[in-house]
């Protein structure tokens, strides 16, 4: 699935926010508009073809003018609807800054 098709579904309101998105949003201080902004302006950083999912990363501004990176996991298995499975502020111990790829695990 290409990013333009995903963005088209968001622009047309053909998406569903799953409960995991809402839980993270309440805990981390972002909202639906931040999720939409990341999908419309961000880039795909990981693709999971077996699950028909993509992880999108982008910068967004929270209340209080705080800029953060946000990850949004989208499932595109349905031919019409986009499921937004989760969204979260990436953990700096797992993701490089900017969080566009996972940190390499150091072998001991």
């Amino acid at each position: 699935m290409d990013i333009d098709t995903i963005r088209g579904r968001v622009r047309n309101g053909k998406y569903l926010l799953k409960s995991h998105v809402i839980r993270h949003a309440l805990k981390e201080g972002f909202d639906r508009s931040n999720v939409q902004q990341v999908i419309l302006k961000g880039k795909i950083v990981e693709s999971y073809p077996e699950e028909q999912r993509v992880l999108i990363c982008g910068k967004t501004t929270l209340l209080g003018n705080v800029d953060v990176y946000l990850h949004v996991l989208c499932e595109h298995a349905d031919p019409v609807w986009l499921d937004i499975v989760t969204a979260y502020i990436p953990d700096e111990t797992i993701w490089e800054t900017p969080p566009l790829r996972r940190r390499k695990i150091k072998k001991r």
Side-chain angles (χ1 to χ4, degrees):
M1 171 79 48
D2 65 84
I3 192 74
D4 292 328
T5 302
I6 291 169
R7 288 177 176 155
R9 291 181 184 183
V10 170
R11 281 189 201 99
N12 293 324
K14 298 290 186 186
Y15 67 93
L16 301 169
L17 292 178
K18 298 298 188 171
S19 62
H20 209 254
V21 176
I22 306 305
R23 283 197 301 269
H24 276 281
L26 291 170
K27 181 180 172 186
E28 299 176 19
F30 60 87
D31 61 22
R32 176 188 297 259
S33 66
N34 298 117
V35 172
Q36 291 171 327
Q37 180 184 16
V38 166
I39 294 171
L40 295 174
K41 301 290 183 187
K43 69 183 246 181
I44 294 175
V45 294
E46 290 188 354
S47 182
Y48 313 103
E50 309 81 37
E51 292 103 13
Q52 297 185 47
R53 292 180 172 187
V54 294
L55 181 65
I56 300 171
C57 179
K59 205 171 209 179
T60 189
T61 303
L62 305 180
L63 289 176
N65 292 327
V66 176
D67 289 337
V68 297
Y69 283 97
L70 190 65
H71 279 179
V72 180
L73 182 66
C74 301
E75 184 175 304
H76 51 80
D78 188 272
V80 176
W81 291 91
L82 179 72
D83 286 336
I84 301 175
V85 178
T86 193
Y88 57 90
I89 296 172
D91 182 337
E92 293 176 3
T93 63
I94 299 172
W95 294 90
E96 292 183 6
T97 303
L100 301 177
R101 70 177 179 227
R102 294 182 188 272
R103 291 186 183 278
K104 292 187 179 172
I105 299 172
K106 295 178 183 173
K107 295 183 182 183
R108 296 180 177 195

